[in-house]
Amino acid sequence: YKRQEVTYGYLDGFNTFLQTAHRCHHNGAINILDCLRNFILYCLRNEWIEKNPFKNYKLKEVAPPPKEHLTKKEIEMLIAKPMPNLRLGNVRDIFVFCCFTGLSYSDMKKLTFDHIKTSFDGDSWIVAHRQKTGTPFHIKLLPIAQQLIENYRPTSKNNLVFPVPSVCDNMNRTLQRIARDCGLKKHITMHMSRHTFATTVTLSQGVPLE
């Protein structure tokens, strides 16, 4: 075992290693280095080490780039584009549904017709819990989302609303092909649908940000 002293140069090299070999973004590498700094400070407090290698090493995050979303016109182009086969049509419909509900891929996979509830005033809502956090949520169904549900009701299997592909990366690759066919220049992913819901759809459909 070779003992390695943690110096300013070591930290600089570790930062480079994180951003190259491990493909961390700048802010991700900074977060890891910040954890190491906390451990170094713990060691200093216990007098296990004498010098702080982070004394002159600056950990500064950069502002992340704005998250992309689709505009109202781009959503309309996506909806209007005829799909050459059922698989592409399914993926397009699932993406559009997420744009109008804000559901994540994992929540879409487990969405069943049991989650669709009708309120006292006749409106339809999705009532479920987030797969990731277990947090309950209630989403009012806008007309386009409601129509998509009805379109898939006759072909439903195991009470699932949509035939969601089992691997998200496969969906993303299919979405990129659909985007090219629609003439869209953006790199479309399932996660982009959530940003689209939080920006374009909430503004154009009058959905409260809360």
Side-chain angles (χ1 to χ4, degrees):
Y1 176 74
K2 183 180 178 180
R3 184 175 179 179
Q4 175 66 57
E5 183 180 0
V6 179
T7 62
Y8 184 100
Y10 177 87
L11 296 175
D12 213 30
F14 185 45
N15 191 358
T16 300
F17 172 77
L18 290 172
Q19 295 192 49
T20 54
H22 276 266
R23 300 180 181 178
C24 285
H25 293 294
H26 174 81
N27 288 354
I30 292 301
N31 287 335
I32 293 173
L33 284 166
D34 191 46
C35 292
L36 178 58
R37 180 177 62 178
N38 289 334
F39 178 71
I40 291 293
L41 293 175
Y42 177 77
C43 292
L44 283 167
R45 289 193 296 270
N46 285 276
E47 299 181 350
W48 296 338
I49 58 176
E50 296 178 355
K51 295 181 180 179
N52 181 6
F54 281 95
K55 182 178 180 181
N56 297 311
Y57 196 86
K58 305 300 181 184
L59 300 180
K60 185 177 180 180
E61 293 187 348
V62 298
K67 294 182 177 4
E68 275 200 313
H69 62 274
L70 296 185
T71 64
K72 185 172 183 290
K73 182 178 180 181
E74 289 169 334
I75 296 174
E76 291 171 350
M77 290 171 59
L78 201 62
I79 293 173
K81 179 70 174 179
M83 293 291 112
N85 59 57
L86 183 62
R87 181 177 66 86
L88 292 179
N90 288 344
V91 170
R92 186 269 310 275
D93 291 346
I94 292 168
F95 179 82
V96 169
F97 185 84
C98 290
C99 286
F100 282 85
T101 59
L103 287 184
S104 66
Y105 167 78
S106 58
D107 292 328
M108 281 293 294
K109 281 187 69 175
K110 68 181 186 66
L111 183 66
T112 69
F113 286 100
D114 293 335
H115 294 127
I116 312 301
K117 308 294 184 182
T118 302
S119 63
F120 68 92
D121 56 2
D123 290 331
S124 294
W125 293 71
I126 298 175
V127 180
H129 291 76
R130 286 295 313 275
Q131 177 73 16
K132 184 177 180 179
T133 62
T135 306
F137 64 84
H138 299 72
I139 300 173
K140 184 177 180 179
L141 287 172
L142 298 171
I144 290 178
Q146 194 163 0
Q147 183 59 54
L148 284 170
I149 287 177
E150 295 309 314
N151 291 348
Y152 280 83
R153 191 182 293 274
T155 58
S156 169
K157 294 182 179 179
N158 299 322
N159 204 36
L160 293 171
V161 177
F162 294 100
V164 180
S166 58
V167 180
C168 188
D169 284 346
N170 292 342
M171 277 202 71
N172 288 336
R173 283 192 289 269
T174 303
L175 283 170
Q176 288 152 29
R177 173 185 169 181
I178 293 172
R180 290 194 300 269
D181 292 345
C182 293
L184 301 178
K185 303 300 182 183
K186 294 178 179 176
H187 183 78
I188 296 182
T189 64
M190 276 297 293
H191 197 64
M192 183 188 283
S193 66
R194 288 171 60 77
H195 298 303
T196 300
F197 175 74
T199 53
T200 306
V201 173
T202 55
L203 293 175
S204 63
Q205 302 290 327
V207 177
L209 288 177
E210 293 80 7

